[in-house]
Amino acid sequence: MIYTDTRDSSVKVDFKTAVLNGMNSKTGGLYIPVEFPRLDESILKSNSEPSFRSVALEMAKPYCKGEIPDDDLDAIIQDAYPFISKLNQIDPITYILELFHGPTCAFKDFGARFMARVMSYFNRENSDNLHILVATSGDTGSAVGSAFHNVPGIDVTILYPEGKISPLQEKQLSTFTGNVRALKVKGTFDDCQKLVKTAFVDEDLRSKFRLSSANSINISRLLPQGFYYMYASLLAKAKSYISNKLEDPAIIVTVPSGNFGNLTSGLIAQKMGAPITGFVAATNSNRTIPDWIATGKYEARPSVETYANAMDVGAPSNYERIAAMYSLEEVRKLFASYWLDNDGIIESIKDCHTKTGYIIDPHGAVAWKAWDDIRSGCLEKLMGGLKGDYTKPGLTANVPDWAKEVVNKNAVGIILETADPAKFGATVKQAIGKDPIIPDRLQKVMQLPDKAIPMENNYETFKQWLMENL
């Protein structure tokens, strides 16, 4: 497979180069495959329930062809996924795709564990360390740290915004030892991400160290997140008639979105044949993408702090990939977009629990509210000509091509639940009046000592630290 660059289509590199470089240091662009091969029809049209690991292997093969033999790739996938995603039906036409059954209780485990093993595979013949720099708004860092912890030949530095993630999330970041360490930056996630991106294009730094990324900047973290979109949509399709009496429903996937890597992974899965009719991009008050869809103008802005902190991103990196894959008009036909403020997040957690008994985290709650509004008449009102105010919480006024499927009651929704609600216990308790159950693996990390290193929001200070410590 050949990979090109979102900022220079003349760039042509192989998978190994794209993975180990993270991004193109010459242009600042992101790597993206030149094609998205469709899976075999025998997989896409099967009426039996799919196997997650088999789906993952078949999806990964074309992107690693000629660089990782199939047997080695299968071993990577088997080792990466001792867990899988779980699809739970919570009402007649709504599924929750639980993505928190990995070691750090967040969807980032799916991408990080595959990426760590691929990087280790490609790095096995090098004598010097590969240095991973990663910015996190909550869950990415812990997933990456866990995936790379004690992996030979790889060194990891995680940057997170001090005081802007949940206490449990911070414990997951600040307690690593050995080849993984965390820097708590006096700033926002966007500040952390800017420090990392600046380091990648710093020729002086790159001349001394081999640097790579583990954010959704890195294509090897983005591609495997597509595995669960393919798996879940095929499973929902196979179960549809028994579960909801619909023979061939339109499948609408609602994605909690911050840096928009997760949604981009869904787009890749759809291009590979996943039976997904459309997407809902659901975010918090950091509404950069909904505003772009509404106005046609992309304007990055400083992030604001919310209860759904993993989505506190004002300058989402994967906008570049979405814009490279689709025109704005194509996006408007494929996506509904939706945003919710903090009051809405609390009400949505409560509403989901009241209506279904399901305890959902703040990110999944934004997706729940988006889907519940869409199927309950909001989209039909837009089709009737009602134009909402995109500066207020709710749906952006575009009408996607799949709107009629929802209005005609021929659609089912898959909501991505991206983290265990226990990671946001205080917010969940505020909404429903009780604490969510804390998994044992999260309880254990709370007992570990903090080792995070304070860092100013200043590139020269950050660079000096890297030069002295890598």
Side-chain angles (χ1 to χ4, degrees):
M1 175 67 73
I2 294 171
Y3 295 79
T4 189
D5 177 348
T6 53
R7 299 184 184 182
D8 183 357
S9 60
S10 69
V11 170
K12 301 288 186 292
V13 302
D14 59 12
F15 186 52
K16 180 178 180 179
T17 300
V19 170
L20 295 184
N21 286 353
M23 61 186 288
N24 189 341
S25 61
K26 293 181 180 179
T27 67
L30 308 183
Y31 291 115
I32 191 168
V34 295
E35 60 178 327
F36 303 95
R38 187 177 174 88
L39 288 193
D40 191 275
E41 293 300 312
S42 64
I43 299 172
L44 299 176
K45 294 184 178 179
S46 174
N47 291 322
S48 60
E49 294 189 4
S51 157
F52 177 84
R53 296 176 191 89
S54 296
V55 165
L57 178 61
E58 293 306 313
M59 287 187 72
K61 280 180 180 178
Y63 299 108
C64 307
K65 188 175 181 181
E67 298 182 71
I68 304 178
D70 288 353
D71 287 348
D72 290 347
L73 185 59
D74 186 42
I76 286 171
I77 287 169
Q78 295 297 327
D79 187 47
Y81 302 119
F83 58 92
I84 64 170
S85 58
K86 296 183 180 180
L87 192 69
N88 286 337
Q89 188 169 10
I90 62 170
D91 70 33
I93 60 168
T94 306
Y95 298 95
I96 295 281
L97 181 60
E98 293 182 345
L99 300 172
F100 54 73
H101 295 287
T104 71
C105 301
F107 82 98
K108 309 290 178 74
D109 287 323
F110 284 91
R113 290 176 63 84
F114 179 85
M115 175 181 60
R117 285 149 183 77
V118 167
M119 282 188 170
S120 180
Y121 183 89
F122 284 143
N123 196 55
R124 66 195 188 282
E125 296 177 358
N126 287 287
S127 57
D128 56 329
N129 278 3
L130 178 66
H131 296 279
I132 307 296
L133 303 180
V134 57
T136 183
S137 57
D139 292 325
T140 294
S142 56
V144 169
S146 172
F148 282 100
H149 192 230
N150 293 329
V151 172
I154 298 181
D155 191 72
V156 181
T157 302
I158 303 165
L159 287 74
Y160 71 90
E162 183 177 5
K164 293 181 171 59
I165 62 177
S166 77
L168 201 158
Q169 284 178 313
E170 183 163 18
K171 268 290 188 181
Q172 287 188 290
L173 294 170
S174 66
T175 54
F176 285 113
T177 58
N179 67 321
V180 179
R181 85 281 304 164
L183 306 181
K184 49 183 179 182
V185 177
K186 298 184 186 302
T188 66
F189 167 75
D190 292 321
D191 295 324
C192 297
Q193 184 160 255
K194 185 177 180 180
L195 291 174
V196 168
K197 284 187 172 182
T198 305
F200 283 135
V201 297
D202 186 325
E203 293 184 5
D204 180 41
L205 199 61
R206 294 195 75 112
S207 70
K208 293 179 174 60
F209 304 107
R210 295 171 59 229
L211 301 179
S212 188
S213 164
N215 283 83
S216 53
I217 290 170
N218 196 302
I219 194 66
S220 67
R221 219 198 83 193
L222 202 70
L223 292 173
Q225 290 175 178
F227 301 164
Y228 50 72
Y229 283 92
M230 183 69 74
Y231 169 76
S233 57
L234 290 174
L235 182 56
K237 182 180 177 182
K239 296 170 66 173
S240 63
Y241 187 73
I242 294 174
S243 298
N244 43 57
K245 306 305 179 186
L246 296 174
E247 290 190 7
D248 187 25
I251 296 174
I252 309 302
V253 183
T254 307
V255 187
S257 302
N259 219 13
F260 279 76
N262 200 356
L263 199 149
T264 305
S265 299
L267 297 174
I268 291 172
Q270 187 194 49
K271 282 182 174 290
M272 296 185 73
I276 298 171
T277 306
F279 297 89
V280 183
T283 192
N284 56 24
S285 297
N286 295 279
R287 58 179 206 266
T288 303
I289 294 296
D291 284 5
W292 168 59
I293 292 173
T295 68
K297 296 179 181 180
Y298 176 81
E299 296 181 356
R301 64 200 68 174
S303 60
V304 297
E305 192 173 348
T306 77
Y307 293 141
N309 61 16
M311 303 193 298
D312 291 352
V313 183
S317 290
N318 283 284
Y319 161 76
E320 283 201 33
R321 286 192 173 110
I322 294 172
M325 294 167 68
Y326 300 94
S327 69
L328 176 59
E329 286 310 307
E330 288 172 330
V331 167
R332 286 170 169 162
K333 291 178 180 179
L334 184 58
F335 292 9
S337 67
Y338 188 100
W339 72 275
L340 205 58
D341 60 16
N342 270 350
D343 289 343
I345 289 171
I346 294 295
E347 286 303 313
S348 183
I349 296 171
K350 181 179 180 180
D351 181 64
C352 182
H353 186 252
T354 299
K355 289 180 177 176
T356 71
Y358 190 85
I359 299 176
I360 201 163
D361 93 294
H363 306 79
V366 178
W368 158 263
K369 180 63 173 171
W371 167 245
D372 202 39
D373 279 2
I374 282 170
R375 63 166 172 177
S376 301
C378 289
L379 199 54
E380 188 171 10
K381 289 178 181 177
L382 288 183
M383 292 177 67
L386 179 67
K387 300 297 182 184
D389 181 352
Y390 72 90
T391 67
K392 302 288 180 60
L395 273 174
T396 303
N398 65 294
V399 178
D401 281 355
W402 45 264
K404 286 185 178 179
E405 298 282 4
V406 175
V407 172
N408 293 337
K409 309 297 183 185
N410 189 46
V412 298
I414 296 177
I415 293 168
L416 269 58
E417 172 67 332
T418 52
D420 193 298
K423 299 185 82 167
F424 309 92
T427 302
V428 172
K429 186 175 183 179
Q430 181 182 344
I432 65 172
K434 62 180 180 180
D435 292 308
I437 297 172
I438 302 178
D440 288 345
R441 57 194 185 282
L442 293 184
Q443 290 182 5
K444 289 177 181 178
V445 78
M446 293 299 289
Q447 309 305 316
L448 299 175
D450 293 331
K451 297 179 179 294
I453 301 163
M455 178 59 58
E456 295 297 323
N457 178 27
N458 177 279
Y459 179 70
E460 291 304 319
T461 303
F462 174 56
K463 178 179 177 179
Q464 182 179 354
W465 187 91
L466 293 175
M467 298 287 277
E468 293 173 354
N469 289 277
L470 292 191

